[in-house]
Amino acid sequence: MAGFGFAFMPPMAAAVLFPPVTPRRLVFPRDHGAHADFRSEWWYVTGWLDGPHWSRGFQLTFFRVRTGHGEDNPSRFSPRQLLIAHAAIADPALARLRHAQRSARADGLYAGFRELTTDVWIGEWFLRLAEGRYQLAAKAEDFALALELDAASAPLLHGATGFSQKAPDARHASFYYSRPQLALRGLLTLGRHREAASGVAWVDHEWSSELLPEEAQGWEWVGLNFDDGSALMAFRLRRANGEPLWAGASFRDGEGRMRLYGPSEICFVPLRIWRSPRTQIAWPVEWLVSIEGWELALMPLFDDQEFDARRSTGAIYWEGAVRVKRGARVLGRGYLELTGYGDKIRVGR
Amino acid sequence: MSLARVFFASFRRRKFSTALAFLAIVLGATLGVAVHVVHEAALVELERATRELTGEADWSVHGGGQAFDDALWSELAQFPGVSAAAPVIALDLRLFLGADQAPLSVPLLAIDPLVHLEWAPQLALRPWHERLDVLAEDALFLSPAVLEKLMDLGGLQSDPQGTQTVTVLVGERRLALRVAGDLPGLAENHRLAVMDVAAAQKHFGLQGKLTRIDLKLTADADLSALRARLSPGLVMEKPHASTAPAARASRAYRVNLGLLSGLALLTGLFLVFSAQALSLARRQTEFAFLRALGMPPSVLYAGLLAEGGLLGLAGSLLGAVGGHAVAAWALSRLGGDLGAGYFAGLAPEWRFSWQATLLFVFLGTLAGLLGAWLPARTTLRMHVAQALKALPTEPLPLVAIRPQWGAAMLLVAAGSLFLPPWQGLPLGGYLAVAFLLAGALIYLPRVSQALACVLARNRFLPPSGFLAVSRIAHTPAQSLLAAAGVMTSLALASAMAIMVHAFRDSLDHWLAQVLPGELYLRAVAGRTPAGLLSPELQEKLASIPGIQRIDFTRHEQLALFPGQTAVTLLARSHLDVPVVGRTAATEGPTIWISEALADLSGWRPGNVVEVPLAGALYRFTIKGIWRDYARQHGAIIMELDLYRKLTGALGVHEATIQLTPDADETRVKEAIERLAHPGTLEMTRTVELRAKSLAFFDRTFLITYLIEGVAILIGLAGVAATFAAIAAARRREFGMLRHLGLTRRDIGLSIAIEAGVIALAGVSMGLVGGFAIAGILIEVINRQSFHWSMDWAIPWFALGVFAFAMIVLAIGAAIAAGRAAMQPAAVFAVREDW
């Protein structure tokens, strides 16, 4: 599900009608663009960067939120649409994330999004899709990213048509597709040091109005690029007592054959807990994911990949580069996302 | 033998004069320390508040308070080198508390809460219910200090759901806003309201406008390129620079209060001097005896200096304690500007000041030492053998100063009048006052001698009169001592009285001119964008029966000069303002500038100047200079129609209304009130407003009056003590005169005439000096520190009463002391001598 949203609650005063998510076939390139009527939306890019002697993870996410406020205010600062961006570099040498976040109202100049295709920006941070390539850039005090991702393969539509159910009640659902196995090239700057990098990336795009049911405390999500060219997305929603609420997974092999899994077929088992010295939150950073008896171990690049985003989206989450193993064999690499281990996560609701 | 008993024991013998000198030094130090501590606290608070409001911003772009086009924000946010740009609208909110209560004034900061969170965490909003309320249009966030105040005053309304609302006054409308949360990061005493910037634009008629943009820049940002992007009327400065003008503005006021404390210290010095001079004269035999016994002169000298020094030290230490106490009181009751209105909205905290304590303990001790120094030196030069025989010696060599020196002092005084102000302070004026007094002091004995000569030529003078006259002629030092006190206190008191009287008189006339008509009308929301009266209201006002003429005024703040406080622009329907000096023949659009602005900018009538209005530069010819007592930082006046043509802005802040002769004022008022939401408009009769302004004037000068009064009382008591001491020291002389056959009545008459002549000399010199100092105050000191002129007006009656009281007091004190001195049998008094 690649991302999460806002701990922001809906405004009481706002008489805004958000469109419901009902099954339909996604249409591209239109659906690469923004869906401004829906409450929340995100474009999420993760991946592994490889240099001559190193491997590092990266994340760049753009969130769009229709707040329900200022709908009829002609001001350029009207908070109708908010954009928030998170960027992070997972560098094992530092053993914690370098991360940065930006927030802005979408005024169409300094910050904005387009509906025709993926094109979203806040100042000099951007993500856009043009001529079959994603381009992205982000710059913070101690790091900078400028990458190009080759989006040759077709989008992977979750829930077959891109309609991804999140709870027993089909009201809680999103439109959701992924772009796995994207070859990437670009530049990574750490401090004053700039290096060329290549690697494999993953892009998610998801939008919704009513993502989570009230009883959801948080979720585990994983997006894996296997070395053989196949890809797996799996997620599980938890209740406050830790019991699973819903789950889903999509697998696509190197030839493009799809396989979908339902809640009864997916099991997430935590293997090891790491406690954050900053927030005291206990994060299960190693997992055993079994899908229909297929067992995969997730091992983090390093433990401390906690992202404190309380200033922008209001949440603390764990977003980390992981290796996927079966026994001692590394099968591939990807990203793991953990939410709701501190306070309950709230998406658009 | 304990030296302390030789020296300090003498304090006990002259308790009264010692206590007076002590009191004057205590007063001086108290006042000085208090002013210093209060001001230091206010500045610390001002800086802290500014820091809280701007957070880690590197630079601020603003138009001095004038709103500007918010398109600039988009441009700056994307400008190379700008790492973050925060849009801000800052204005003063008036919260409605009920029909019978004055509204609560609270500064409003409208921001983008998400951006501000990143660099000003102390401005973090804490929503009570919904997190997204930080963006809600109807939501207001209040600091704990404001919430507390509102709860005290009953300004919070609750609905059944528990939602709390406040009523904000906007022009002639009332607007209910929800209190959606608080500002937990702010200092306890900081009054602030925060809301979303887009909401503020919508509610306060500021669509497309901002009043400030805070910037964070990268190290390689090109400042000059950034500045070049700013439209006319906008400045870019470091956020803390905004505290500097406020500090500068209050400095003149502070220095004036500081000078009053200096005056009190000077009085103390003089009192120590006169007390010591007379006391040492009386203790001559004693000292001669000690010298004869072998006490080295240096020990004697040191002991005598220590007498004065100890007095000064003790007085100033007590004063420092008192000063801190007074400061604590003043801060809690009057605020950081002692009620003068420079730091509105701040609640500074009292703190101990080492700097002020050390400075004034030093000055107080110095005053004591200096007061003791001259008499001590005279004592040292005594002829031991003669002094043992108690032959009277002149106590002071002061009178030996040649009159040329006096002339030189007066010349220096005249010269320093032409010095330009130093960093905005009228130091030349203060120097002139000091040298003027010094010069007058040197001439004083000659004046009293001259007066005595005139009297001596009078054939009808009784023998006792001749006695008095010849004493004045031959003991100039003693008469100098007495007359100097009279002169100094009268000069300073009358100067102050003349200045304040002239100021008040000019203010009265000025008020009549700037507040014409019978009624004054404005939005309670004040002179901010939130206080604009709509064009519809203006139209409806003009059609109310009973109104003969209505004049509108709009206020605007212009950042004319970087680093300076904004200049006020007044756009008025009619330009009948009080004019100072000549007016120029002009063509095209014209403006009038206030005296303060003329001083600040060097602009003169006839000059063509560029003034930024609504983001564009316009050229105006200066028609003339007008007198403005309301705005110390300068003001421009232009015609309202011209302003509207150039800016397109139609709202106004206030109106003065002239009624038809047969109009019913109450009816007109009611008709006006019906046009607006209840509680939004404020109507005052201009007569009352003028009276209120004068009352405010009196209140601001109250502290000045009080301190002045106390200093004068001490000075007067000192004069009485001096006369009494002189009379007491002449017991032997009186005894001798009685032996020669003079009656007590004769001697009493002689004393009275002598005191009268001396006091007359002091009073006449004091009055002359007072007029001169008043001139310096009016034409130089006020002109330079507050940039306003005033017309002369002299309180003849008060001056007359004061001068007369001085003479009567001096004569009375001398006679009373003379009587006491004549009490013991004349025989004993004479025998003491031989």
Side-chain angles (χ1 to χ4, degrees), chain B residues 119-130:
Chain B
W119 64 18
Q122 67 283 354
L123 278 182
L125 312 181
R126 182 166 66 187
W128 288 334
H129 304 292
E130 323 283 339

Side-chain angles (χ1 to χ4, degrees), chain A residues 42-306:
Chain A
W42 51 75
W43 296 263
Y44 163 96
V45 189
T46 55
W48 281 65
L49 300 167
D50 299 311
H53 315 289
W54 49 262
S55 284
R56 294 168 188 146
F58 81 91
Q59 177 215 349
L60 176 66
T61 310
F62 281 90
F63 304 93
R64 179 197 59 75
V65 177
R66 182 182 176 196
T67 63
H69 287 297
E71 290 275 333
D72 60 347
N73 189 344
S75 164
R76 81 172 63 234
F77 300 109
S78 163
R80 263 188 311 276
Q81 299 279 353
L82 283 189
L83 286 171
I84 292 171
H86 290 173
I89 302 292
D91 179 4
L94 187 66
R96 60 179 166 78
L97 294 183
R98 295 169 201 260
H99 61 80
Q101 47 200 316
R102 286 196 160 192
S103 316
R105 291 139 206 257
D107 67 340
L109 291 167
Y110 171 68
F113 51 81
R114 289 205 299 145
E115 304 206 318
L116 293 176
T117 185
T118 302
D119 188 2
V120 55
W121 71 95
I122 301 176
E124 56 208 335
W125 292 27
F126 68 86
L127 170 68
R128 78 172 73 98
L129 175 63
E131 292 159 15
R133 287 172 179 280
Y134 285 100
Q135 291 174 317
L136 64 89
K139 201 170 140 190
E141 258 170 50
D142 57 345
F143 70 90
L145 266 178
L147 303 176
E148 220 170 62
L149 281 50
D150 187 2
S153 63
L156 193 172
L157 306 184
H158 301 297
T161 61
F163 175 83
S164 173
Q165 196 169 332
K166 302 295 183 197
D169 182 351
R171 206 156 57 88
H172 302 294
S174 65
F175 292 112
Y176 180 20
Y177 67 86
S178 301
R179 313 290 302 266
Q181 298 285 11
L182 305 180
L184 76 81
R185 286 176 334 124
L187 294 171
L188 170 67
T189 311
L190 294 183
R192 293 170 171 212
H193 206 67
R194 191 158 70 170
E195 287 173 282
S198 58
V200 184
W202 177 294
V203 171
D204 259 14
H205 182 196
E206 184 166 17
W207 63 100
S208 167
S209 288
E210 308 263 331
L211 193 73
L212 294 184
E214 183 55 34
E215 60 267 36
Q217 163 78 17
W219 65 73
E220 282 78 52
W221 172 92
V222 65
L224 302 171
N225 290 317
F226 293 98
D227 294 343
D228 65 2
S230 58
L232 172 74
M233 183 287 294
F235 71 87
R236 180 190 71 165
L237 276 89
R238 291 189 320 278
R239 295 178 192 277
N241 61 10
E243 280 176 19
L245 177 69
W246 190 260
S250 312
F251 178 78
R252 184 167 77 180
D253 68 16
E255 275 79 53
R257 283 183 295 251
M258 286 282 300
R259 177 78 207 269
L260 302 177
Y261 302 91
S264 60
E265 298 160 303
I266 303 160
C267 189
F268 276 75
V269 181
L271 297 180
R272 185 166 67 81
I273 307 283
W274 166 79
R275 186 175 289 276
S276 161
R278 289 180 300 275
T279 63
Q280 305 307 319
I281 296 174
W283 299 103
V285 292
E286 281 184 30
W287 289 84
L288 188 70
V289 179
S290 48
I291 297 175
E292 232 193 356
W294 188 38
E295 291 201 333
L296 299 168
L298 303 179
M299 300 295 171
L301 179 59
F302 54 89
D303 288 350
D304 186 356
Q305 302 192 62
E306 180 185 60

